[in-house]
Amino acid sequence: MSHKGHSSKAARRRAHAPVFAALGDETRLSLVATLCRGNPHSITKLTEGSKLTRQAITKHLRVLEGAGIVRCVRAGRESLFELDPAPIEEIKEHLALVSRQWDQALGRLKSFVEK
Amino acid sequence: MNDRIEKRIELKAPISRVWRALTDYREFGEWFRLKLDGPFVPGQISRGQITHPGYEHLKWEAVVQKMEPERLFSFTWHPYSVDPKQDYSKEPPTLVEFRLDKTASGTLLLLTESGFDKIPSGRRAEAFRMNEGGWTQQMSNIETHVAQRP
């Protein structure tokens, strides 16, 4: 049994848009929620409990893989998918930064109108 | 608070004063730290140059959405796009809204910035839980700072 990462670092984009776009879908978001629990999952397992076909699930997984959110690892003849938390972490950091900037800007506004 | 930023701040100034600070392009530029080319006009692009120390190489660009006197001022933009080499136009823009309300002692300002993602609501919580501790700290810093000013 060999494990081999298929997605390279180069495939992961720095921009946030592809990550947001990939996550902007109910099915993909629920796949991410499942993979958030940690273990790599097979396509079969990810298809269980879904109304979608295996092909449809695979397509969604490829979109997530393209955005660097999940990566495919091989276990024997099976493809397993696991979460790469980095892009989602980057989005969180981005939001925290914007939030801090607003705190500072509003603090300046307050001083400005109250002087 | 997962896909949007929400801030609420009490300002000890009349609503007309706050409205002017928000919508007069020179006044806005003063506290926001940028030099705007001209007045805000709904539906039009607002351009300018950031004057915030350390960020002077950056341009400002936003599209003014609504200007409802002393109630609502809004624009869309690409928030704090700090890398001049990166093309942010492909990123989804966010909507910034300043809502004003009159209070006994002045004006309540509610700021929201939304549209960071198009993720359906209700499902984001687990993947996007934010650390709000840092924001609370920032807000209290501002309160302290302001309280020291007579």
Side-chain angles (χ1 to χ4, degrees):
Chain A
M1 191 187 278
S2 74
H3 287 260
K4 191 168 174 282
H6 276 221
S7 73
S8 67
K9 278 239 166 68
R12 198 201 292 151
R13 281 161 252 181
R14 308 300 294 174
H16 304 298
V19 179
F20 282 133
L23 290 172
D25 174 277
E26 278 287 337
T27 304
R28 291 198 287 273
L29 206 55
S30 95
L31 288 170
V32 168
T34 304
L35 294 172
C36 266
R37 288 175 215 141
N39 303 333
H41 284 58
S42 65
I43 296 173
T44 309
K45 215 168 159 197
L46 290 167
T47 308
E48 276 171 25
S50 164
K51 284 182 229 122
L52 298 179
T53 62
R54 187 186 167 86
Q55 284 75 11
I57 293 290
T58 307
K59 223 175 122 189
H60 283 298
L61 285 167
R62 293 299 173 200
V63 174
L64 290 170
E65 190 184 24
I69 299 164
V70 306
R71 55 184 164 234
C72 179
V73 292
R74 284 237 163 231
R77 289 193 301 169
E78 217 178 10
S79 292
L80 299 179
F81 284 84
E82 66 181 8
L83 191 78
D84 182 346
I88 291 174
E89 281 300 318
E90 278 174 30
I91 285 178
K92 280 166 66 178
E93 280 166 27
H94 177 66
L95 281 181
L97 167 75
V98 174
S99 176
R100 281 197 301 275
Q101 306 268 30
W102 273 122
D103 286 334
Q104 289 161 10
L106 293 181
R108 292 195 300 269
L109 170 66
K110 191 171 170 72
S111 308
F112 184 71
V113 295
E114 289 182 0
K115 76 185 169 195
Chain B
M1 197 180 291
N2 300 299
D3 72 321
R4 61 170 52 208
I5 286 168
E6 225 175 86
K7 308 278 174 191
R8 192 178 277 272
I9 191 164
E10 268 289 333
L11 304 165
K12 288 179 192 65
I15 202 162
S16 56
R17 175 73 199 92
V18 178
W19 179 254
R20 197 169 77 236
L22 290 176
T23 57
D24 180 289
Y25 74 103
R26 284 157 302 211
E27 293 210 2
F28 181 89
E30 211 167 307
W31 64 268
F32 205 89
R33 294 188 175 162
L34 57 97
K35 193 174 184 313
L36 289 168
D37 297 346
F40 292 128
V41 181
Q44 292 192 9
I45 298 175
S46 164
R47 289 195 179 85
Q49 190 75 33
I50 307 275
T51 56
H52 197 298
Y55 297 91
E56 292 97 334
H57 56 295
L58 295 176
K59 297 221 179 296
W60 148 277
E61 197 177 299
V63 180
V64 179
Q65 301 293 323
K66 290 188 177 156
M67 287 174 89
E68 297 172 17
E70 303 192 359
R71 278 194 58 234
L72 171 67
F73 174 50
S74 64
F75 56 79
T76 50
W77 71 336
H78 294 98
Y80 294 96
S81 318
V82 290
D83 183 356
K85 286 190 291 275
Q86 193 166 323
D87 177 14
Y88 290 94
S89 62
K90 284 192 224 82
E91 304 246 336
T94 58
L95 173 67
V96 174
E97 294 170 295
F98 296 91
R99 287 177 195 281
L100 302 182
D101 254 315
K102 205 171 173 173
T103 63
S105 57
T107 307
L108 178 71
L109 166 64
L110 179 66
L111 166 104
T112 54
E113 180 164 4
S114 57
F116 287 96
D117 52 71
K118 298 184 185 77
I119 299 166
S121 62
R123 300 299 308 270
R124 314 181 179 108
E126 55 205 299
F128 289 88
R129 191 148 293 156
M130 296 284 304
N131 173 7
E132 290 187 46
W135 305 357
T136 313
Q137 184 58 44
Q138 286 288 336
M139 285 307 267
S140 90
N141 288 348
I142 290 165
E143 290 306 322
T144 313
H145 167 78
V146 164
Q148 284 162 356
R149 297 174 70 98

